[in-house]
Amino acid sequence: MGTRYEDQPAEHWAGADSLDPTPVWKQYILIALLLFGGLIAVLVVSLLAIAPQIVTPPALVPGDRLVLSLSDVATAHIVPLRVGAPLIDDSRSFWLTRMFPGNFYAFPTRWSPRLGERECSVAVDDSSRTASSPPGFVADCGPARGTYRFSASGNAGNGARDLDQYLVSVSDDRVIVNLSRLVLASERTTAPVPTGIPQPQQP
């Protein structure tokens, strides 16, 4: 047999106030707090999205976006501009170059022939300079691995991986480099042929 309600001690009985619903004014406060929290979240997201447009370049804004003045990098089509300290740490430094009619490229100053290998330093290849286009790049990986050359747009000319690059966008009077978005070049299916390494003689 079950226990009847009237058999329970008085201190176990629920009071009449426990059956009252939540006061209406408390519900309004809860709804207002939720709306206010949502408004703050939307405001924060909006500020992060427009931050590159409202800061004074050069500046690094949340999201690892580096904002540069378009006038400050106007000569990148003549000589690639090295961007590093003190704007960003040298581990993320890059070469900024511009191809006609106005496409910008941002190549890290470190590169490896294959993903995961020890990286080589990337420099401007003055020997590739022409009157109509900016110079290309060269990666000197030492006597054992050779030297790799790239066009001004980062394309490898000897079967190796192309240069990795950060995403770049141009807006009004500024250039925005997204340091959180590094596009890694894929490896070629054929073996690279670097320069500077003696080739075996055919019998």
Side-chain angles (χ1 to χ4, degrees):
M1 296 180 63
T3 303
R4 295 181 302 173
Y5 173 76
E6 55 269 22
D7 292 338
Q8 299 296 318
E11 59 269 17
H12 290 179
W13 295 359
D17 57 343
S18 66
L19 302 179
D20 290 343
T22 302
V24 174
W25 65 271
K26 289 186 177 180
Q27 296 179 13
Y28 287 158
I29 290 178
L30 179 60
I31 293 174
L33 289 175
L34 291 175
L35 291 176
F36 182 73
L39 181 61
I40 293 297
V42 171
L43 181 61
V44 170
V45 172
S46 300
L47 286 176
L48 291 177
I50 66 174
Q53 306 299 330
I54 60 178
V55 299
T56 301
L60 184 64
V61 301
D64 274 346
R65 289 166 294 175
L66 182 63
V67 183
L68 302 171
S69 171
L70 187 59
S71 60
D72 290 343
V73 299
T75 59
H77 69 282
I78 302 174
V79 179
L81 176 66
R82 189 183 190 279
V83 181
L87 286 178
I88 54 176
D89 56 271
D90 278 335
S91 64
R92 298 191 294 176
S93 61
F94 59 89
W95 290 104
L96 184 69
T97 188
R98 182 180 184 181
M99 299 289 291
F100 290 108
N103 297 327
F104 281 90
Y105 297 88
F107 303 115
T109 58
R110 309 290 298 177
W111 172 87
S112 60
R114 294 182 177 83
L115 295 174
E117 288 186 350
R118 180 168 54 86
E119 293 181 327
C120 320
S121 178
V122 177
V124 175
D125 184 10
D126 288 323
S127 65
S128 64
R129 187 187 304 272
T130 66
S132 59
S133 65
F137 300 91
V138 57
D140 185 1
C141 296
R145 294 190 292 171
T147 301
Y148 298 82
R149 299 186 184 277
F150 308 88
S151 69
S153 57
N155 295 323
N158 46 16
R161 276 195 331 120
D162 294 338
L163 289 177
D164 306 323
Q165 57 182 295
Y166 293 113
L167 292 184
V168 182
S169 60
V170 180
S171 177
D172 297 330
D173 61 343
R174 56 198 61 204
V175 176
I176 304 168
V177 182
N178 194 335
L179 299 176
S180 66
R181 298 293 301 275
L182 178 62
V183 180
L184 298 176
S186 58
E187 296 184 14
R188 304 292 178 88
T189 55
T190 57
V193 184
T195 60
I197 298 180
Q199 301 298 317
Q201 299 294 324
Q202 296 294 331

